[in-house]
Every structure is written in C-alpha cells, then in structure tokens.
Amino acid sequence: MHQFLKRDDVMTGGRRPGVLAPDTTGLNFYRADPALADLLRIHLPDALFRHLVPHLDRLGELAGGYLDECARLADRHGPVLHQRDRFGRDVQWIEYHPAYRELERAAFGEFGIHAMSIRKGILGWPSKYPVTAKHAFTFLFNQAEFGLGCPINVTDGCAKLLSSFGSDALKARYLDGLTQTDMRKLTQGGQFMTEKEGGSDVGTLTTMAVPEGDHWRLHGEKWFCSNADAKVVMLLARPEGAEPGTRGVGLFLMPRFLDDGTQNHYRIVRLKDKLGTRSMASGEIKLEGAIAYAVGRLDRGFVQMAEMVNSSRLSNGVKSTALMRRAWHDAITVARNRVVFGKPIVDLPLGRRQLLKILLPTEQALSMSFLTADALDRAEGGSQDAAALLRILTPTLKFRATRDARKVCGDALEMRGGIGYVEEFATSRLLRDAHLGSIWEGTGNIVALDALKRAVGRHGAESALAADLHARLDDSAAVPQIWRDQLHRLIDRAIGFAREVASRADNEAESRRATSLLYHTASAVSLTWESARIHAMRGDARRLLLAKLVVDHRLTSSDPFRLAESEADDAVAALLLGERSATMDEVGELISAA
C-alpha cells in the first residue's frame, strides 16, 4: 500500500513517555486481544487457525496504525458528488479522498474480506473460509474503519445472492467481479432497499419494474442507498401488475454501467450528510427506466433478499463489537497510563468499575458473534438445528450488541475526558459510528419483534436455542456444578419468558426486554463454555468471571440501596483488569462465595 501518510506522533504499543493520556496509535489490535485468538482456536480447525495468524497479525498492526490514520482522514474528508465530468458531459461521479482508496485496497485487495466465504484461494488458503474466520478480519478491520464495513458487507451479500439465485448467464457476467481481489477487476456491490414510503415496512415499496425483452426497466426512488456508486446493485421492485405486499416484490440486479460503457438510467440525486460513517457515500437514487435483471423467482424476491439482510445483521453485530473493542483498547490505554491523584486510573476503585462496564458488554458481544457465526457455518453445512438456532441468534445479536456499542463508546470517550470529545482522537468518531448499528438493517424495535414474534412465535426457534445452551453447559464439566445448575435454571426462565411474550399480541411492548434476556443468558452460557475450553488450553478461567458478572448485573435483581461486596468486587476487577491468568479454582471460590 502507498505510505502517503506520515504522522509525527506515532507511538509503540499505545505508550509514549511524557504523554498524559496516550492513544492506541501503534498498538497491534490482534496481539492486544488474546480473547480473539482463544475463540478462534476454539471454533476453527488447527491448520486453518495457524494459517490465519500471520494475516491477522498483519491486519492487527495496520488497523492500529496506518489504516486508523487513513480512517481519520477519510472521515474528515468525506465523498463529494460531481454531476458532470471535466468536459461538461452529464456523467455523475463521486470523488473520494485518497485515504479512503487506501482503505479499499486493504479490505478488498490485500485481505479480500468481501470474498473470503465465496471465493477459493484468498490469502493462499485453498478453500473458502468459514464465516467464523472471515469475521475475525471484519472484527479487526472495523476497529480502524467502520464506514467501509458496509461496502465490504454488501459486496459479499450481492455475490451470495447472485450465487444462490442468479441465472447462469448473470453469474458468468457479474460474479467474478464481485469476488475479485485485483482492484482493477473488482466491481463493488450495493444494496438499495429503503424508500420514503417505508423503511422496515418493505411491503409498501413503490418502485415499479416493467418488462422489456430480456431485461426490466425500473422506475421510482430509493431513499437511503449506501455505496451509492456501486457497480452492481441488488434491489427490490414490484413487477408491473404484481400483488401488493412483500409477496409481490421481486429481486433485481442493476448494473451501474451498460454494455456500451454509458451510465445506467438512474441518478444519484444527492449524498446524505450523516452523523457517522462519513467516509462512505450514502445517497438518494432516482430510477428513470434503469435497466435491471430479475434474480430468482419474482414472487420470492423479499425472501431471497432476507438472506442478505440476515447476513448483514450478523456483520452488523460483529462490526459493533469491533467498535466496542476499539473503545476498550482506548479506555484501558488511558487508564493504565494516565496518573490522577497520585495513581493510575486503573488502580482507582471507581475507574476500575467503569472499565468493567466497558469490558463486559464487549466480551459478551464477542462471544455472541462467534456463537452466531458458528451457527451460520453449521447451517450452511446442512444442519437444520443450526438453521433454527441462527434464526433466533441473528436478530438477538443485532439488537443488543448494536445498542450496547453506543453506551460503551460513550463511556470510553468519558474515560479519556475532555479531549476524548475532540475529533483528533478516535473516541468521538467511534461514538458517531456506533449509532449506525442499531438503525441499519432494522431498528431496535423491528429486530426485537423479529426475534420474539417471528423467531419464537412463528418458527419456535427458541427450542433450538434452549437445546444448544443446555448442551454447552453439559459439555463444560470443568466448571463448578453449582454454577452450571444456576445457568440451567436461567435458560429455562429466559426461554419461558420469551414464549410468554410471543404468545400474546398485548405483550408486544416487552419484546425488547425479552430479547435482552435471551442475549444475556446465551452470552453467560457461551462465556462459561468458552472458559472451560480456554482453561484446558492454557489454564485461564477469566471468561467465567465475565459470565458471573453477566448473571449478577444483567439477570439477577438487586437492591439499589445495598452496598456492593467491595472485597469480592475488587478480587474480580483485579483478575479481569490484570494481566495474569486465573485458575478454575480461584474463579470457583469467588462463585461459591457469592
């Protein structure tokens, strides 16, 4: 990559003598995250894990330095829409800062994140990567740059839709470009869904498709189109004469350029002035007879697009987890290096408590991301149980992780103090970007209803979740029995409450709370299951302490007027914020004492 950026304040490992509150510049985000390596060892075959390590290490180094600076510049110097070329011709084009192009070269070119689970041979691996492996790269890259995460994801999604439902002719024409890592041959994808008439209510869309020979002509407007100048776009439209509602909606592929090299018949009316993800172009699109091609059955367009949406929701959860991890890196770097009132912040009781409030939801989201990605891998392998599990895990992860990211990034900004509010540091950008996750691919209300009313009420997917969680506890014999018994009971209560909420329409207002309880219960079990395996690998049971915190602070009612057991809290904080391992016996004693 072109090293056109050079900062004079580059540090090593987040530390620099004389700096009162250093940032993470120079920190390798992979090496600074032993939990990521642990979970990859658990979920991936050993040969694949060992193959990935040098590439993850390389991305971790770039994300903590060069790519982070690119992201800062790309956020500061956003895309600009031009209506004409320099010869006065009506040819629209979007100008991007060179830093954004560097981010593209890393994501699409060097690492091929968009193509990892579709194309063989990426980074020298002979097969396609499981989703679990791909999202390790998503996780690291988005700690530096969140805006480009959308084009990466929708390019991946377009390729999946085309591969699954497209005709042989369409595949031959477009699939290779969508999965290319050669930047000269790459065709990025887009997903144009939202209309002014309805966002999540897709059945109300008004975009019309009129047949014309071997293609269709599209007329209408798309209101919020990210990666606005994508070369290949997947979108929904209603074929002329089709029935109302989602059953009358078809899926179409719309190229940006026609065979003669001219632009297709649609205009980017303007770019959105967004709170976050400012590096990436989101626009309003007016379709003026744009040429498009039907993908799959016309009466199954919404169902087909839903596959891309579910994949995007998983990616959304992973990317929000990445923001939280980056926020954690920043907060702990400040806390360990800034001295106030004669002590580092990390040694002050209230500072430690706030750090745990940043750490806990971050680790919950990391565990739930891996749990969901693993379910997707197994579902794509043909497991019906995993498919049902995925049906409930995806909206549950998307609902809670994206919501927690807003709080975590805000708390990290506060840990830095006043200068955390200044755009020269990453924390303000993290906070702006964090608000995206809980809005795109369905707002919190929509996703909670998807988890409760559809996954539970319509599909009975909670049974698969209960079976999976109980099995994970049964497979964690190294963990104290008293703890496993408590979690077994919490699983039954969370599942029972979800069923109760889903069973009656007048309980709909409890959907968010029920989804959160499913999330917290599943994360506590997942952290416990992971702890048993990590302890067997390297003698560390600290993830079990995180599970304890989830139960104590998310699933158990407490008296707000009762003082906490400071001695026990100090012991937990010392183990989680320190840099040594904790044995299962140590953690077991803390659990038994509680």
Side-chain angles (χ1 to χ4, degrees):
M1 290 186 294
H2 303 293
Q3 300 292 324
F4 73 99
L5 302 169
K6 202 74 175 177
R7 295 187 72 182
D8 60 5
D9 61 345
V10 172
M11 297 170 286
T12 302
R15 293 174 171 83
R16 186 182 183 188
V19 178
L20 293 179
D23 66 8
T24 60
T25 303
L27 189 67
N28 184 313
F29 289 159
Y30 177 70
R31 295 183 188 180
D33 194 351
L36 175 60
D38 284 338
L39 297 192
L40 287 171
R41 285 191 186 96
I42 291 172
H43 287 280
L44 297 179
D46 184 62
L48 177 55
F49 171 72
R50 285 188 282 107
H51 173 80
L52 289 176
V53 167
H55 301 292
L56 292 168
D57 188 70
R58 161 78 173 158
L59 180 54
E61 178 185 8
L62 288 171
Y66 182 66
L67 293 181
D68 188 46
E69 178 62 8
C70 287
R72 187 184 71 84
L73 286 172
D75 178 82
R76 181 68 61 87
H77 305 283
V80 178
L81 174 64
H82 296 276
Q83 299 292 346
R84 287 186 163 195
D85 68 10
R86 63 180 180 269
F87 299 107
R89 293 173 298 191
D90 291 326
V91 178
Q92 289 189 318
W93 61 285
I94 297 177
E95 179 183 1
Y96 295 92
H97 191 274
Y100 186 81
R101 296 304 190 191
E102 288 293 284
L103 293 165
E104 288 181 317
R105 271 189 279 271
F108 290 102
E110 180 173 354
F111 295 100
I113 302 172
H114 67 297
M116 281 185 156
S117 58
I118 304 171
R119 190 181 189 116
K120 296 180 179 179
I122 304 294
L123 297 177
W125 186 249
S127 304
K128 301 174 184 177
Y129 288 97
V131 176
T132 313
K134 176 186 74 174
H135 279 316
F137 289 85
T138 302
F139 178 66
L140 286 174
F141 183 85
N142 281 270
Q143 289 180 50
E145 161 63 6
F146 193 77
L148 187 61
C150 177
I152 296 168
N153 181 68
V154 292
T155 302
D156 182 1
C158 284
K160 285 182 178 177
L161 283 175
L162 183 58
S163 179
S164 299
F165 305 112
S167 66
D168 290 340
L170 282 179
K171 291 178 188 177
R173 192 171 181 181
Y174 295 108
L175 188 57
D176 180 70
L178 286 167
T179 61
Q180 273 287 345
T181 57
D182 185 336
M183 297 301 292
R184 296 166 299 178
K185 300 177 181 178
L186 172 69
T187 52
Q188 289 187 36
Q191 171 190 321
F192 296 176
M193 290 275 287
T194 307
E195 298 189 3
K196 286 184 281 188
E197 292 76 14
S200 298
D201 189 2
V202 179
T204 63
L205 69 80
T206 60
T207 298
M208 186 64 63
V210 180
E212 182 181 275
D214 65 345
H215 59 262
W216 297 71
R217 292 278 186 172
L218 303 183
H219 301 268
E221 289 190 48
K222 295 293 182 178
W223 179 240
F224 210 116
C225 305
S226 293
N227 213 17
D229 59 343
K231 300 303 185 293
V232 176
V233 174
M234 290 287 184
L235 74 168
L236 297 176
R238 194 177 306 282
E240 192 175 38
E243 64 180 291
T246 56
R247 291 185 179 180
V249 171
L251 177 64
F252 296 88
L253 182 152
M254 182 178 69
R256 179 65 175 141
F257 294 98
L258 302 177
D259 292 341
D260 62 1
T262 60
Q263 289 184 354
N264 202 348
H265 306 288
Y266 66 90
R267 289 186 295 118
I268 305 171
V269 179
R270 64 171 178 170
L271 298 184
K272 298 287 194 183
D273 186 8
K274 297 171 293 181
L275 172 67
T277 64
R278 300 181 69 88
S279 63
M280 183 265 298
S282 299
E284 299 169 16
I285 306 295
K286 191 162 187 178
L287 306 166
E288 300 168 324
I291 291 176
Y293 304 93
V295 178
R297 288 173 46 183
L298 285 177
D299 61 346
R300 299 281 293 175
F302 176 76
V303 175
Q304 292 166 178
M305 180 63 92
E307 291 201 11
M308 183 174 177
V309 170
N310 283 331
S311 177
S312 294
R313 284 179 173 178
L314 168 58
S315 176
N316 208 328
V318 174
K319 289 183 288 188
S320 291
T321 307
L323 289 177
M324 287 190 272
R325 177 62 90 210
R326 173 61 189 279
W328 163 255
H329 285 321
D330 194 81
I332 194 64
T333 298
V334 171
R336 286 176 175 160
N337 289 278
R338 186 179 180 196
V339 175
V340 295
F341 307 116
K343 290 184 178 181
I345 292 174
V346 73
D347 292 335
L348 299 173
L350 191 53
R352 293 161 80 91
R353 187 177 182 86
Q354 295 307 112
L355 285 168
L356 290 180
K357 288 185 177 182
I358 295 172
L359 178 63
L360 181 59
T362 303
E363 297 295 349
Q364 283 184 271
L366 185 63
S367 291
M368 290 295 286
S369 293
F370 272 93
L371 189 68
T372 308
D374 179 68
L376 177 55
D377 282 327
R378 291 188 287 121
E380 292 184 343
S383 170
Q384 293 300 310
D385 290 339
L389 181 63
L390 181 69
R391 184 68 186 82
I392 191 168
L393 282 178
T394 302
T396 301
L397 168 69
K398 198 276 183 188
F399 169 74
R400 189 74 212 188
T402 58
R403 181 182 176 186
D404 284 345
R406 304 196 307 257
K407 178 70 164 58
V408 165
C409 291
D411 285 352
L413 183 151
E414 187 178 352
M415 185 64 66
R416 181 168 288 280
I419 56 173
Y421 194 67
V422 176
E423 292 288 348
E424 290 174 311
F425 289 88
T427 41
S428 57
R429 173 162 51 95
L430 295 179
L431 182 58
R432 287 189 284 106
D433 287 348
H435 284 267
L436 166 72
S438 55
I439 296 173
W440 283 8
E441 307 297 359
T443 61
N445 284 355
I446 292 297
V447 178
L449 289 173
D450 188 26
L452 268 292
K453 295 298 183 181
R454 297 180 183 89
V456 177
R458 187 179 303 171
H459 300 288
E462 80 283 0
S463 296
L465 178 60
D468 183 87
L469 297 180
H470 282 305
R472 288 179 189 275
L473 290 179
D474 293 339
D475 194 31
S476 304
V479 175
Q481 184 67 47
I482 188 174
W483 179 250
R484 287 185 286 142
D485 289 343
Q486 183 178 2
L487 287 181
H488 278 303
R489 292 191 294 271
L490 287 171
I491 293 169
D492 292 338
R493 292 189 66 188
I495 296 296
F497 184 68
R499 285 172 174 159
E500 182 180 2
V501 171
S503 66
R504 294 176 53 184
D506 55 0
N507 289 338
E508 183 177 295
E510 295 285 5
S511 296
R512 292 174 72 102
R513 184 159 69 102
T515 304
S516 288
L517 290 172
L518 289 175
Y519 179 88
H520 294 316
T521 303
S523 65
V525 172
S526 187
L527 286 161
T528 298
W529 178 79
E530 293 161 359
S531 183
R533 273 139 194 80
I534 296 169
H535 191 264
M537 289 190 301
R538 58 182 185 86
D540 188 4
R542 281 185 294 179
R543 290 190 85 72
L544 186 56
L545 282 177
L546 293 166
K548 179 183 182 300
L549 289 178
V550 173
V551 171
D552 290 349
H553 297 280
R554 302 288 186 264
L555 294 169
T556 304
S557 297
S558 60
D559 181 355
F561 296 103
R562 183 178 64 83
L563 288 173
E565 299 290 340
S566 58
E567 186 174 337
D569 284 355
D570 287 345
V572 170
L575 287 172
L576 288 176
L577 300 178
E579 299 186 5
R580 74 171 182 86
S581 299
T583 68
M584 191 65 73
D585 288 341
E586 285 180 288
V587 177
E589 287 180 8
L590 288 170
I591 289 174
S592 298

